[in-house]
Amino acid sequence: ILNVEQSPQSLHVQEGDSTNFTCSFPSSNFYALHWYRWETAKSPEALFVMTLNGDEKKKGRISATLNTKEGYSYLYIKGSQPEDSATYLCAFMGGTGGFKTIFGAGTRLFVKA
Amino acid sequence: GAGVSQTPSNKVTEKGKYVELRCDPISGHTALYWYRQSLGQGPEFLIYFQGTGAADDSGLPNDRFFAVRPEGSVSTLKIQRTERGDSAVYLCASSFGKNTEAFFGQGTRLTVV
């Protein structure tokens, strides 16, 4: 069974705080790791697609790292703003016999002004 | 169109009925995914199309679920003999390929009464 876990489940921070969360995924049969930002009542929005061990990607104040050998990815938000409040989902693509995408349950971020 | 379009946005049906959910992907996207999302959980993979063919349908829960993409563009998810447990938001996403970012539709909320 392919399992993708995200921690913490939820996070409350103050505006200006920097924060990070973790996505753990199978370390074998890896193809890609996706991060999405999902605001309530909207569709998930792609943040990063990461494919290579050691990948680091950055978009504005948000960055992510990837370790495929040990099966984890970190998402960092520098100087959180209230508009960063959302659920951050990671999705593992890989496995044997196909290219299914397995999503984690997400980390719900609340940024208080 | 500019984005992934899913219709209908809401569907209420009686237990035992047949339903079809439609996904119109972004033009030129060869990969198309269907997911199901239950309250409080991340999206659950159902099926992945590459072009017209189902590259991975291992996420379909049982033989009441079937999906087609006859011309490699629009896809239809078909559910026969619906059950109350099928109630969920059904999300569709499309991308240029497996390791490129996927764009999601707004989803179809299916309620089986």
Side-chain angles (χ1 to χ4, degrees):
Chain A
I1 296 176
L2 297 175
N3 199 33
V4 177
E5 294 185 356
Q6 291 189 247
S7 62
Q9 193 171 36
S10 67
L11 195 54
H12 293 250
V13 301
Q14 289 289 131
E15 183 177 357
D17 287 351
S18 292
T19 186
N20 67 86
F21 5 103
T22 307
C23 172
S24 301
F25 52 85
S27 56
S28 59
N29 300 302
F30 173 89
Y31 189 83
L33 193 284
H34 296 228
W35 280 100
Y36 294 91
R37 180 173 179 276
W38 197 355
E39 289 182 70
T40 306
K42 294 186 178 180
S43 327
E45 171 198 349
L47 289 173
F48 305 114
V49 177
M50 309 180 82
T51 55
L52 297 175
N53 184 44
D55 251 358
E56 291 189 25
K57 300 246 174 154
K58 186 172 163 60
K59 185 184 284 190
R61 295 179 291 99
I62 305 177
S63 60
T65 60
L66 180 69
N67 183 325
T68 60
K69 292 188 190 309
E70 295 180 44
Y72 64 84
S73 176
Y74 293 135
L75 188 80
Y76 300 91
I77 303 179
K78 185 177 177 182
S80 304
Q81 299 297 308
E83 58 265 31
D84 296 330
S85 299
T87 296
Y88 291 83
L89 293 169
C90 70
F92 164 84
M93 180 176 274
T96 56
F99 286 100
K100 58 179 67 66
T101 309
I102 310 296
F103 278 83
T107 291
R108 187 86 191 272
L109 176 67
F110 301 88
V111 182
K112 188 174 178 183
Chain B
V4 178
S5 174
Q6 289 188 248
T7 54
S9 54
N10 275 287
K11 176 74 178 176
V12 180
T13 190
E14 291 181 348
K15 180 174 177 296
K17 299 286 189 186
Y18 167 82
V19 295
E20 289 190 352
L21 312 180
R22 177 187 165 110
C23 173
D24 205 332
I26 291 172
S27 178
H29 279 188
T30 57
L32 185 146
Y33 309 82
W34 282 100
Y35 301 93
R36 177 168 70 172
Q37 195 237 343
S38 300
L39 194 64
Q41 299 182 13
E44 171 197 1
F45 170 82
L46 296 177
I47 186 169
Y48 157 57
F49 286 93
Q50 183 59 45
T52 60
D56 189 334
D57 65 357
S58 61
L60 295 176
N62 52 60
D63 61 6
R64 295 187 296 105
F65 288 73
F66 190 69
V68 295
R69 195 186 185 200
E71 296 176 3
S73 177
V74 171
S75 176
T76 306
L77 179 67
K78 308 180 181 198
I79 311 174
Q80 297 178 317
R81 305 183 304 280
T82 51
E83 299 177 357
R84 292 198 178 88
D86 299 335
S87 297
V89 174
Y90 289 81
L91 289 166
C92 173
S94 71
S95 71
F96 282 115
K98 293 191 292 289
N99 63 351
T100 61
E101 63 179 337
F103 294 82
F104 281 78
Q106 292 280 22
T108 294
R109 181 176 295 280
L110 176 67
T111 304
V112 182
V113 296

